[in-house]
Amino acid sequence: MDQSYFDRVYETTYRPLLKYAIVHLSDPTDAEDALQNVYLSFYRRIERYGHLDVLFPKAFLLKMLKREIIEQYAEREKHAVRPLEDVPQERLKDDWVFEDGVLDRAMAEDILMEAKRLPRDTYRIFVLYYGYEMTISEIARELGMGAEAVKSRLFRGRNAIRSYLTADDADSDSGR
């Protein structure tokens, strides 16, 4: 088998396929698991039959990923998302720029750990917005939600994480 072929395909397709899986599954961990299963199946397939018949590897893998989602996570895929009530724009203003608060890797890891505690849909939005730099409208379209619902959940998620971080700062200042 041509290991360099698999490595090239993996490097060029991993990020867009993971983004697709995160959008279509309710939990980013499930998305990573589904994608791992797809790459393992793809690896075994090209090991057994070769890759000369795979003209468009990204499209081939996307089809495999879609099947994986249907087979293993069909129940979660059908989870209905109900848009939240419209939130006034004043509530969505955020003077603190979130990206500026991430000073080092340790803080980024703390933020990610706290983000994982958010409700699933909020976590998905958080990962798509900050991890994949998708816009509010792109996220809304991909998740089938209104833009205001996405903004509201992102706002609440940032506030929850900010509360956690400022509580840690207060604990550190008090000598705990």
Side-chain angles (χ1 to χ4, degrees), residues 24 36 47 60 72 91 99 135 166:
H24 288 85
Q36 181 180 10
E47 191 174 50
F60 188 86
Q72 294 191 10
R91 283 191 53 212
E99 292 89 343
T135 65
T166 55

Side-chain angles (χ1 to χ4, degrees), residues 105-153:
R105 184 175 177 84
M107 181 179 266
E109 289 172 2
D110 286 348
I111 290 169
L112 184 58
M113 283 179 45
E114 187 62 23
K116 286 181 179 181
R117 295 180 189 164
L118 296 170
R120 279 189 179 170
D121 289 331
T122 305
Y123 179 56
R124 288 168 67 193
I125 291 167
F126 186 86
V127 169
L128 293 171
Y129 188 79
Y130 289 107
Y132 289 95
E133 299 178 351
M134 291 176 69
T135 65
I136 298 290
S137 58
E138 289 171 334
I139 295 169
R141 185 175 54 252
E142 289 292 331
L143 298 180
M145 302 172 77
E148 292 301 316
V150 171
K151 286 181 191 178
S152 176
R153 289 179 188 206

Side-chain angles (χ1 to χ4, degrees), residues 16-31:
L17 291 177
L18 181 60
K19 185 166 76 169
Y20 178 88
I22 287 172
V23 166
H24 288 85
L25 295 169
S26 59
D27 186 344
T29 304
D30 291 342

Side-chain angles (χ1 to χ4, degrees), residues 42-136:
F42 181 66
Y43 184 86
R44 288 178 178 160
R45 188 233 182 256
I46 61 175
E47 191 174 50
R48 182 175 289 149
Y49 304 112
H51 64 82
L52 297 178
D53 61 328
V54 180
L55 300 177
F56 302 102
K58 183 177 176 185
F60 188 86
L61 287 165
L62 181 59
K63 188 173 184 177
M64 290 177 72
L65 180 59
K66 287 177 180 180
R67 274 194 230 122
E68 180 72 18
I69 290 169
I70 290 169
E71 289 173 10
Q72 294 191 10
Y73 303 105
E75 293 303 315
R76 291 183 182 158
E77 181 64 22
K78 294 180 186 209
H79 176 68
V81 177
R82 295 189 178 124
L84 301 173
E85 294 179 5
D86 289 342
V87 176
Q89 287 296 321
E90 303 83 53
R91 283 191 53 212
L92 296 176
K93 291 183 180 169
D94 194 357
D95 295 331
W96 188 65
V97 178
F98 190 81
E99 292 89 343
D100 292 344
V102 181
L103 300 175
D104 58 27
R105 184 175 177 84
M107 181 179 266
E109 289 172 2
D110 286 348
I111 290 169
L112 184 58
M113 283 179 45
E114 187 62 23
K116 286 181 179 181
R117 295 180 189 164
L118 296 170
R120 279 189 179 170
D121 289 331
T122 305
Y123 179 56
R124 288 168 67 193
I125 291 167
F126 186 86
V127 169
L128 293 171
Y129 188 79
Y130 289 107
Y132 289 95
E133 299 178 351
M134 291 176 69
T135 65
I136 298 290

